[in-house]
Amino acid sequence: MRKIIKFTTDYVGYVVKGGPKFYAWLGFLGIFVLFWMYGNYMQWTEGMIVTGLTDQVSWGLYLANFVFLVGVAAGAVTVVFPAYVYKHKALHEVAVLGEMLAIAAVVMCLLFVFNHMGRPDRVWHMLPYIGIFNWPNSMLTWDVLVLSVYLVLNVVGGFYFLYMKYTDQKLNKLFYMPIIYIAIVWALSIHTVTGFLLNTMPARPLWHTGMMPIRFIITAFAAGPSLIIIVFLTIRKNTKLWIKDEAINMLSQIIVWCLGIALFLTLSEVVTDLYHPTEHSAGLEYLMLGHNGLNRLVPWFWSSLAMMVVAFVMLLFPSVRKNHNKLVVACVLAFVGIWIEKGMGLLIPGSIPSPIGEFTEYYPTLLEIFNSIGNWAIGFIVLTVLLKGAIGILLGDIKYAKE
Amino acid sequence: MTDKKAPKNNPDIEQTSTCDTTEPSEKNKETESVSPSRRGFIKQMGGLSVASLMGTAALLTHSDDAEANTTWAEWFQGNYRLMTDEEKEQAIARLERRYTSEFGKQVTVDGTPAQEGVLFGYALNIQKCIGCRRCVKACVEENNQSRGDKQEIEWIRVLKMEKGEFTIDKMNDGYPGGYGIQVGGNAYSAAGVVLEGEHYYEPKKVPESDSFYFPIACMQCEKPPCVKVCPVRTTYREPDGIVVVDYNWCIGCRMCIGACPYWARRFNWGEPNLSSKDMNPKTHYLGNRPRMKGVVEKCTFCIQRTRKGRYPACVEVCPVGARKFGNLLDPDSEVRRVLARKRMFRLKADANTYPKFFYFID
């Protein structure tokens, strides 16, 4: 017990202390949190009327970010899977960082869900026994289930590993390995269920396709490692932890494969829907070409496609993958491109046209944007702190000292 | 915010011979019998549960405190469907107290359950509808929807469907041209999708000669997609077939809005705007009682009326008798007779939702 208390105090003591760069970074994120506080206060008191959502487009920026971040959380498995299944040495050394990223991503998911809810004060209505958990009927309850279990798996797996490292004990493989393997499969489940959440609604033809879960997973496995590469290179630059080139090479190869498949799936969908467009293709047509002058999403679609294609082509060249300056550019393009694809490119046109054929454009309000950026900022604060602690333990900066 | 362009005025009806307002049958008689003993009842129940303790406290103390206690008790209450009869009485008494003080007039909240042997159904004659939208207005007045520019909620929307135009000079229009017209000519027009109509029309007079009208509202599906997706079962199908929402249990996730193929559900994006003057004080817990911000609402076949043997407000007001309502299990009911004799269809039958809202033509 004393060990655990010591671990906690050492850990907290370590993560709150840092150099000027560290504080500047947190301060920078903190500015967005101030806007976030204002935005949330307004939404709490006035209701969701402060957002740009309407009865026609009732799911917007919040849910779009949620869907994307579930993908980022699932994408963390691209570190854990090669590390433990293929015994990839370089990734094995830093696998715990992937788990920390997953935790931060799930935290952001939860923040976005709370923003999306009209009555966040009533969230307890979903708790089994106290409230009603409409499981297995409601796909949303599946999503809650898989996400919270994924969070627990990563917190337990990640911090168990860190604690054992801290106390210099050997991992209990019988306890640890099952958690890792379950978490790997579970990562697939979270994004599959998010896909099902959308595509089980025949009322929304754009989403009603069996391709949704695989497209989600494939794009997640491109966006997730893109972020991880950026994070890894930042860590290499700013800390003493040297993440090996092999780790980054492995990840960039995963990205290029997944981006290629993602583009292929997009092509398949476009051809299927638009060769002979039916009523059910109206959402995709609106997204790609606009509708009678309503074309707010058109530039988003094409810029997303361009970013993904450019990233894919760049990453095909080993010279780009090896040159980390160019690699970062490709990663940013892939990450942003997929963020657009899942938000402006998928979630919003799902509601346009409405089930009775009405085209309504959606304009997120400033407060909605404050809240969304704020959620990201909080997520990055969590990520920074978690990574700092994990790196400290991996480097041996924090160690259990016997008195 | 919602229904931004919702029409505000009701155009005058062009008086035509089809405007025969049919006299409703015996079912339309007012059979109001609200029991006055609910208040007394809750006083006796005090001390049985946390909620009732709070309710009692609310009765004994005054003003702001009372309201605060009522609100807390309301916040802690369970799902209406699963409440015991006592809890339902308490919840209703709490609401009556709150609404009465909020709106400054005596408000009743009814809890009449579904009657045995009743399955409500609706039939609408699209041949007769003239698009006057009196049903929309009557619905809003009856059901306490939010009104005003900031948030205007209407459960019924009337789609104006334009009749096609075919002319000789369009004969050579088409795509791709040159190799013979593969797509084009007269019958090809890029009119909307799914339902080729629009619901913001504002003509001087209805009906317009180039259009017909197609009213929509909640279809009260026998297989409602909205019910299946609700994570907390706040929306459910009652035994008499009405799909209802417990506004106090709704978490505002809007899954149901996504799942509804008929765009029947509305969301209270902000605090509903309902003045004391406009408020209809005869309410039902699952129907027209005032809503709060952040919850979903929709047509309930005027549950507060129909469970007491009255017609829905839209049926009563329709000047051309296009709207028919009744018990689908009663072979002599109007709606059954319509279904037996007329050519009818359900909207979006491909969605497999089995609406109890039928469209018919003479």
Side-chain angles (χ1 to χ4, degrees), chain A residues 377-401:
Chain A
I378 294 171
F380 272 99
I381 291 174
V382 172
L383 180 65
T384 309
V385 167
L386 288 175
L387 288 177
K388 186 167 163 56
I391 292 166
I393 289 170
L394 285 180
L395 287 173
D397 283 358
I398 335 173
K399 241 190 169 132
Y400 181 64

PDB file of all heavy atoms in Angstrom, chain A residues 377-401:
ATOM      1  N   ALA A 377      -8.027  20.878 -26.485  1.00  0.00           N
ATOM      2  CA  ALA A 377      -6.972  21.417 -25.619  1.00  0.00           C
ATOM      3  C   ALA A 377      -6.886  20.618 -24.322  1.00  0.00           C
ATOM      4  O   ALA A 377      -5.788  20.251 -23.875  1.00  0.00           O
ATOM      5  CB  ALA A 377      -7.242  22.892 -25.322  1.00  0.00           C
ATOM      6  N   ILE A 378      -8.049  20.318 -23.741  1.00  0.00           N
ATOM      7  CA  ILE A 378      -8.039  19.523 -22.511  1.00  0.00           C
ATOM      8  C   ILE A 378      -7.438  18.146 -22.792  1.00  0.00           C
ATOM      9  O   ILE A 378      -6.630  17.631 -22.021  1.00  0.00           O
ATOM     10  CB  ILE A 378      -9.470  19.393 -21.951  1.00  0.00           C
ATOM     11  CG1 ILE A 378      -9.976  20.767 -21.504  1.00  0.00           C
ATOM     12  CG2 ILE A 378      -9.504  18.415 -20.774  1.00  0.00           C
ATOM     13  CD1 ILE A 378     -11.437  20.789 -21.148  1.00  0.00           C
ATOM     14  N   GLY A 379      -7.815  17.585 -23.929  1.00  0.00           N
ATOM     15  CA  GLY A 379      -7.272  16.284 -24.306  1.00  0.00           C
ATOM     16  C   GLY A 379      -5.758  16.323 -24.430  1.00  0.00           C
ATOM     17  O   GLY A 379      -5.061  15.413 -23.975  1.00  0.00           O
ATOM     18  N   PHE A 380      -5.240  17.407 -25.004  1.00  0.00           N
ATOM     19  CA  PHE A 380      -3.792  17.499 -25.160  1.00  0.00           C
ATOM     20  C   PHE A 380      -3.092  17.763 -23.829  1.00  0.00           C
ATOM     21  O   PHE A 380      -1.958  17.328 -23.632  1.00  0.00           O
ATOM     22  CB  PHE A 380      -3.430  18.565 -26.204  1.00  0.00           C
ATOM     23  CG  PHE A 380      -3.396  17.998 -27.597  1.00  0.00           C
ATOM     24  CD1 PHE A 380      -4.465  18.149 -28.464  1.00  0.00           C
ATOM     25  CD2 PHE A 380      -2.297  17.261 -28.021  1.00  0.00           C
ATOM     26  CE1 PHE A 380      -4.431  17.595 -29.742  1.00  0.00           C
ATOM     27  CE2 PHE A 380      -2.247  16.711 -29.298  1.00  0.00           C
ATOM     28  CZ  PHE A 380      -3.333  16.873 -30.160  1.00  0.00           C
ATOM     29  N   ILE A 381      -3.776  18.461 -22.926  1.00  0.00           N
ATOM     30  CA  ILE A 381      -3.193  18.616 -21.581  1.00  0.00           C
ATOM     31  C   ILE A 381      -3.089  17.245 -20.921  1.00  0.00           C
ATOM     32  O   ILE A 381      -2.043  16.875 -20.370  1.00  0.00           O
ATOM     33  CB  ILE A 381      -4.058  19.581 -20.730  1.00  0.00           C
ATOM     34  CG1 ILE A 381      -3.948  21.005 -21.287  1.00  0.00           C
ATOM     35  CG2 ILE A 381      -3.615  19.538 -19.271  1.00  0.00           C
ATOM     36  CD1 ILE A 381      -4.856  21.999 -20.614  1.00  0.00           C
ATOM     37  N   VAL A 382      -4.173  16.473 -21.007  1.00  0.00           N
ATOM     38  CA  VAL A 382      -4.159  15.124 -20.431  1.00  0.00           C
ATOM     39  C   VAL A 382      -3.053  14.293 -21.085  1.00  0.00           C
ATOM     40  O   VAL A 382      -2.268  13.627 -20.400  1.00  0.00           O
ATOM     41  CB  VAL A 382      -5.542  14.450 -20.624  1.00  0.00           C
ATOM     42  CG1 VAL A 382      -5.492  12.977 -20.222  1.00  0.00           C
ATOM     43  CG2 VAL A 382      -6.600  15.186 -19.834  1.00  0.00           C
ATOM     44  N   LEU A 383      -2.972  14.381 -22.400  1.00  0.00           N
ATOM     45  CA  LEU A 383      -1.966  13.601 -23.130  1.00  0.00           C
ATOM     46  C   LEU A 383      -0.548  14.003 -22.700  1.00  0.00           C
ATOM     47  O   LEU A 383       0.304  13.151 -22.431  1.00  0.00           O
ATOM     48  CB  LEU A 383      -2.134  13.818 -24.641  1.00  0.00           C
ATOM     49  CG  LEU A 383      -1.156  13.068 -25.541  1.00  0.00           C
ATOM     50  CD1 LEU A 383      -1.369  11.564 -25.425  1.00  0.00           C
ATOM     51  CD2 LEU A 383      -1.313  13.497 -26.999  1.00  0.00           C
ATOM     52  N   THR A 384      -0.311  15.310 -22.600  1.00  0.00           N
ATOM     53  CA  THR A 384       1.022  15.795 -22.214  1.00  0.00           C
ATOM     54  C   THR A 384       1.414  15.258 -20.847  1.00  0.00           C
ATOM     55  O   THR A 384       2.527  14.745 -20.652  1.00  0.00           O
ATOM     56  CB  THR A 384       1.025  17.336 -22.186  1.00  0.00           C
ATOM     57  OG1 THR A 384       0.495  17.815 -23.418  1.00  0.00           O
ATOM     58  CG2 THR A 384       2.414  17.876 -21.984  1.00  0.00           C
ATOM     59  N   VAL A 385       0.481  15.363 -19.913  1.00  0.00           N
ATOM     60  CA  VAL A 385       0.770  14.929 -18.549  1.00  0.00           C
ATOM     61  C   VAL A 385       0.999  13.420 -18.499  1.00  0.00           C
ATOM     62  O   VAL A 385       1.962  12.942 -17.892  1.00  0.00           O
ATOM     63  CB  VAL A 385      -0.397  15.367 -17.628  1.00  0.00           C
ATOM     64  CG1 VAL A 385      -0.299  14.657 -16.288  1.00  0.00           C
ATOM     65  CG2 VAL A 385      -0.388  16.874 -17.445  1.00  0.00           C
ATOM     66  N   LEU A 386       0.133  12.672 -19.190  1.00  0.00           N
ATOM     67  CA  LEU A 386       0.277  11.213 -19.180  1.00  0.00           C
ATOM     68  C   LEU A 386       1.599  10.789 -19.815  1.00  0.00           C
ATOM     69  O   LEU A 386       2.298   9.907 -19.303  1.00  0.00           O
ATOM     70  CB  LEU A 386      -0.886  10.566 -19.941  1.00  0.00           C
ATOM     71  CG  LEU A 386      -2.258  10.581 -19.272  1.00  0.00           C
ATOM     72  CD1 LEU A 386      -3.304  10.010 -20.217  1.00  0.00           C
ATOM     73  CD2 LEU A 386      -2.251   9.772 -17.974  1.00  0.00           C
ATOM     74  N   LEU A 387       1.941  11.443 -20.924  1.00  0.00           N
ATOM     75  CA  LEU A 387       3.187  11.073 -21.606  1.00  0.00           C
ATOM     76  C   LEU A 387       4.390  11.430 -20.754  1.00  0.00           C
ATOM     77  O   LEU A 387       5.352  10.670 -20.656  1.00  0.00           O
ATOM     78  CB  LEU A 387       3.277  11.777 -22.967  1.00  0.00           C
ATOM     79  CG  LEU A 387       2.336  11.267 -24.061  1.00  0.00           C
ATOM     80  CD1 LEU A 387       2.493  12.101 -25.314  1.00  0.00           C
ATOM     81  CD2 LEU A 387       2.591   9.796 -24.379  1.00  0.00           C
ATOM     82  N   LYS A 388       4.327  12.578 -20.105  1.00  0.00           N
ATOM     83  CA  LYS A 388       5.448  13.018 -19.270  1.00  0.00           C
ATOM     84  C   LYS A 388       5.705  12.001 -18.152  1.00  0.00           C
ATOM     85  O   LYS A 388       6.841  11.601 -17.911  1.00  0.00           O
ATOM     86  CB  LYS A 388       5.150  14.393 -18.690  1.00  0.00           C
ATOM     87  CG  LYS A 388       6.325  14.989 -17.939  1.00  0.00           C
ATOM     88  CD  LYS A 388       6.085  16.452 -17.666  1.00  0.00           C
ATOM     89  CE  LYS A 388       7.002  16.999 -16.585  1.00  0.00           C
ATOM     90  NZ  LYS A 388       8.428  16.804 -16.840  1.00  0.00           N
ATOM     91  N   GLY A 389       4.621  11.605 -17.506  1.00  0.00           N
ATOM     92  CA  GLY A 389       4.758  10.610 -16.432  1.00  0.00           C
ATOM     93  C   GLY A 389       5.322   9.304 -16.956  1.00  0.00           C
ATOM     94  O   GLY A 389       6.246   8.721 -16.372  1.00  0.00           O
ATOM     95  N   ALA A 390       4.772   8.850 -18.074  1.00  0.00           N
ATOM     96  CA  ALA A 390       5.213   7.567 -18.624  1.00  0.00           C
ATOM     97  C   ALA A 390       6.678   7.632 -19.040  1.00  0.00           C
ATOM     98  O   ALA A 390       7.453   6.700 -18.785  1.00  0.00           O
ATOM     99  CB  ALA A 390       4.339   7.202 -19.824  1.00  0.00           C
ATOM    100  N   ILE A 391       7.062   8.740 -19.672  1.00  0.00           N
ATOM    101  CA  ILE A 391       8.457   8.882 -20.108  1.00  0.00           C
ATOM    102  C   ILE A 391       9.384   8.925 -18.899  1.00  0.00           C
ATOM    103  O   ILE A 391      10.449   8.297 -18.881  1.00  0.00           O
ATOM    104  CB  ILE A 391       8.612  10.143 -20.987  1.00  0.00           C
ATOM    105  CG1 ILE A 391       7.877   9.941 -22.309  1.00  0.00           C
ATOM    106  CG2 ILE A 391      10.078  10.457 -21.244  1.00  0.00           C
ATOM    107  CD1 ILE A 391       7.672  11.213 -23.104  1.00  0.00           C
ATOM    108  N   GLY A 392       8.953   9.637 -17.858  1.00  0.00           N
ATOM    109  CA  GLY A 392       9.753   9.713 -16.635  1.00  0.00           C
ATOM    110  C   GLY A 392      10.040   8.334 -16.064  1.00  0.00           C
ATOM    111  O   GLY A 392      11.158   8.034 -15.618  1.00  0.00           O
ATOM    112  N   ILE A 393       9.033   7.486 -16.100  1.00  0.00           N
ATOM    113  CA  ILE A 393       9.226   6.139 -15.561  1.00  0.00           C
ATOM    114  C   ILE A 393      10.075   5.289 -16.512  1.00  0.00           C
ATOM    115  O   ILE A 393      10.977   4.557 -16.075  1.00  0.00           O
ATOM    116  CB  ILE A 393       7.853   5.490 -15.279  1.00  0.00           C
ATOM    117  CG1 ILE A 393       7.209   6.179 -14.066  1.00  0.00           C
ATOM    118  CG2 ILE A 393       8.005   4.001 -15.007  1.00  0.00           C
ATOM    119  CD1 ILE A 393       5.785   5.820 -13.822  1.00  0.00           C
ATOM    120  N   LEU A 394       9.807   5.415 -17.810  1.00  0.00           N
ATOM    121  CA  LEU A 394      10.602   4.641 -18.774  1.00  0.00           C
ATOM    122  C   LEU A 394      12.084   5.005 -18.682  1.00  0.00           C
ATOM    123  O   LEU A 394      12.963   4.154 -18.790  1.00  0.00           O
ATOM    124  CB  LEU A 394      10.105   4.905 -20.206  1.00  0.00           C
ATOM    125  CG  LEU A 394       8.789   4.258 -20.625  1.00  0.00           C
ATOM    126  CD1 LEU A 394       8.462   4.626 -22.061  1.00  0.00           C
ATOM    127  CD2 LEU A 394       8.812   2.745 -20.463  1.00  0.00           C
ATOM    128  N   LEU A 395      12.365   6.303 -18.452  1.00  0.00           N
ATOM    129  CA  LEU A 395      13.752   6.765 -18.364  1.00  0.00           C
ATOM    130  C   LEU A 395      14.378   6.448 -17.016  1.00  0.00           C
ATOM    131  O   LEU A 395      15.593   6.534 -16.851  1.00  0.00           O
ATOM    132  CB  LEU A 395      13.814   8.279 -18.593  1.00  0.00           C
ATOM    133  CG  LEU A 395      13.586   8.776 -20.021  1.00  0.00           C
ATOM    134  CD1 LEU A 395      13.517  10.292 -20.032  1.00  0.00           C
ATOM    135  CD2 LEU A 395      14.699   8.293 -20.934  1.00  0.00           C
ATOM    136  N   GLY A 396      13.514   6.102 -16.048  1.00  0.00           N
ATOM    137  CA  GLY A 396      14.026   5.858 -14.708  1.00  0.00           C
ATOM    138  C   GLY A 396      14.170   7.121 -13.896  1.00  0.00           C
ATOM    139  O   GLY A 396      14.782   7.118 -12.824  1.00  0.00           O
ATOM    140  N   ASP A 397      13.607   8.222 -14.357  1.00  0.00           N
ATOM    141  CA  ASP A 397      13.640   9.465 -13.577  1.00  0.00           C
ATOM    142  C   ASP A 397      12.809   9.339 -12.312  1.00  0.00           C
ATOM    143  O   ASP A 397      13.117   9.940 -11.284  1.00  0.00           O
ATOM    144  CB  ASP A 397      13.089  10.634 -14.418  1.00  0.00           C
ATOM    145  CG  ASP A 397      14.111  11.116 -15.438  1.00  0.00           C
ATOM    146  OD1 ASP A 397      15.223  10.547 -15.436  1.00  0.00           O
ATOM    147  OD2 ASP A 397      13.788  12.030 -16.214  1.00  0.00           O
ATOM    148  N   ILE A 398      11.690   8.605 -12.437  1.00  0.00           N
ATOM    149  CA  ILE A 398      10.917   8.327 -11.233  1.00  0.00           C
ATOM    150  C   ILE A 398      11.133   6.854 -10.910  1.00  0.00           C
ATOM    151  O   ILE A 398      10.897   5.979 -11.745  1.00  0.00           O
ATOM    152  CB  ILE A 398       9.394   8.547 -11.416  1.00  0.00           C
ATOM    153  CG1 ILE A 398       9.097   9.551 -12.536  1.00  0.00           C
ATOM    154  CG2 ILE A 398       8.757   8.992 -10.115  1.00  0.00           C
ATOM    155  CD1 ILE A 398       7.625   9.655 -12.840  1.00  0.00           C
ATOM    156  N   LYS A 399      11.566   6.608  -9.699  1.00  0.00           N
ATOM    157  CA  LYS A 399      11.892   5.238  -9.288  1.00  0.00           C
ATOM    158  C   LYS A 399      11.510   5.083  -7.839  1.00  0.00           C
ATOM    159  O   LYS A 399      11.599   6.024  -7.063  1.00  0.00           O
ATOM    160  CB  LYS A 399      13.400   5.006  -9.438  1.00  0.00           C
ATOM    161  CG  LYS A 399      13.723   3.902 -10.425  1.00  0.00           C
ATOM    162  CD  LYS A 399      15.185   3.549 -10.359  1.00  0.00           C
ATOM    163  CE  LYS A 399      15.386   2.285 -11.154  1.00  0.00           C
ATOM    164  NZ  LYS A 399      16.477   2.352 -12.074  1.00  0.00           N
ATOM    165  N   TYR A 400      11.104   3.860  -7.499  1.00  0.00           N
ATOM    166  CA  TYR A 400      10.774   3.632  -6.099  1.00  0.00           C
ATOM    167  C   TYR A 400      12.056   3.579  -5.288  1.00  0.00           C
ATOM    168  O   TYR A 400      12.948   2.773  -5.546  1.00  0.00           O
ATOM    169  CB  TYR A 400       9.992   2.318  -5.966  1.00  0.00           C
ATOM    170  CG  TYR A 400       9.583   2.027  -4.549  1.00  0.00           C
ATOM    171  CD1 TYR A 400       8.688   2.877  -3.886  1.00  0.00           C
ATOM    172  CD2 TYR A 400      10.078   0.914  -3.871  1.00  0.00           C
ATOM    173  CE1 TYR A 400       8.303   2.627  -2.595  1.00  0.00           C
ATOM    174  CE2 TYR A 400       9.695   0.650  -2.574  1.00  0.00           C
ATOM    175  CZ  TYR A 400       8.808   1.506  -1.930  1.00  0.00           C
ATOM    176  OH  TYR A 400       8.425   1.250  -0.641  1.00  0.00           O
ATOM    177  N   ALA A 401      12.149   4.490  -4.308  1.00  0.00           N
ATOM    178  CA  ALA A 401      13.357   4.534  -3.476  1.00  0.00           C
ATOM    179  C   ALA A 401      13.039   3.933  -2.125  1.00  0.00           C
ATOM    180  O   ALA A 401      12.117   4.375  -1.442  1.00  0.00           O
ATOM    181  CB  ALA A 401      13.824   5.976  -3.329  1.00  0.00           C
TER     182      ALA A 401
END
